[in-house]
Amino acid sequence: SSPLREFIPQYISDTRVGLQTKPYVSAYGVLFDVNTATAAKNVLVSNQLNLTTLPNPKQAHVLYSNGVSLFDLNTTNNVSTELSPNTFPEKCVWAQTKMFIYCAVPRNIITSGSLYTWYKGEISFSDDIWEYDLVANTARRVVDLEGLAGRSIDVSTISINQADTLLLIQSKIDGSLWSVKTN
């Protein structure tokens, strides 16, 4: 029933899926929360240019970006908090046991068109791993990837183990896989 035709599905829970419009630098995006049992839907995030998102499957939070800034949206009270340093939700993963997000953060400055050109393969980044503590509202660099690997790592995929102690990342530059301890 939507005039929008291209969505990126995202797992939220066994009965909920997020449907995000594809991001584009000059287009406003939306993230719907769709109940797969009842077909009920509601808007979680909207009216953001270049919108990309990462719903938290365990908490009522959504990480989202408009290409210029990164935000944590508490969907219970509808309050957004800007996070710094900036990165793309595609380079992040929610912790399993605490209100943390682990992200690959580019050393380069991110502009409004960076996500689009990164997707097209026209630019790459040299990332570090940052930990965002949403309760304390702090962020700290936990891994200097270039120092650890001896070369630039542009993280394209990131996942975390159940104990929040190990990240598995893939470099977009050459497809190599890396495991990194979070502490």
Side-chain angles (χ1 to χ4, degrees):
S1 67
S2 172
L4 303 171
R5 295 290 176 236
E6 293 190 70
F7 291 99
I8 300 169
Q10 298 183 39
Y11 175 84
I12 297 177
S13 72
D14 290 343
T15 59
R16 294 172 48 225
V17 65
L19 294 178
Q20 174 201 299
T21 53
K22 289 193 173 182
Y24 188 68
V25 69
S26 62
Y28 287 93
V30 64
L31 172 64
F32 292 104
D33 178 357
V34 179
N35 185 312
T36 58
T38 66
K41 69 177 181 214
N42 85 53
V43 175
L44 292 178
V45 182
S46 66
N47 297 322
Q48 295 289 323
L49 285 172
N50 206 21
L51 177 69
T52 59
T53 64
L54 181 64
N56 185 332
K58 295 183 184 242
Q59 302 285 332
H61 286 259
V62 175
L63 183 66
Y64 73 93
S65 173
N66 57 15
V68 178
S69 298
L70 184 67
F71 300 91
D72 167 47
L73 170 66
N74 180 328
T75 58
T76 303
N77 60 15
N78 212 29
V79 172
S80 289
T81 304
E82 187 171 355
L83 305 176
S84 182
N86 187 24
T87 190
F88 311 130
E90 290 84 344
K91 291 178 168 279
C92 298
V93 63
W94 288 97
Q96 301 290 312
T97 63
K98 49 195 170 188
M99 282 301 295
F100 281 29
I101 305 166
Y102 291 94
C103 296
V105 176
R107 293 178 176 194
N108 320 49
I109 294 175
I110 296 175
T111 65
S112 62
S114 293
L115 179 66
Y116 186 68
T117 54
W118 181 71
Y119 268 130
K120 288 174 48 177
E122 294 175 357
I123 62 171
S124 62
F125 296 107
S126 181
D127 294 328
D128 289 321
I129 301 297
W130 282 71
E131 171 188 87
Y132 300 84
D133 181 338
L134 300 180
V135 175
N137 196 25
T138 61
R140 69 180 182 98
R141 186 175 78 166
V142 292
V143 179
D144 170 359
L145 282 178
E146 189 171 320
L148 182 68
R151 59 184 171 151
S152 291
I153 303 291
D154 183 3
V155 175
S156 62
T157 308
I158 185 168
S159 58
I160 195 163
N161 69 341
Q162 292 292 325
D164 293 331
T165 58
L166 192 65
L167 296 170
L168 182 62
I169 62 174
Q170 183 175 18
S171 174
K172 186 177 181 192
I173 296 169
D174 61 5
S176 59
L177 293 174
W178 299 81
S179 62
V180 178
K181 292 182 180 179
T182 59
N183 49 10

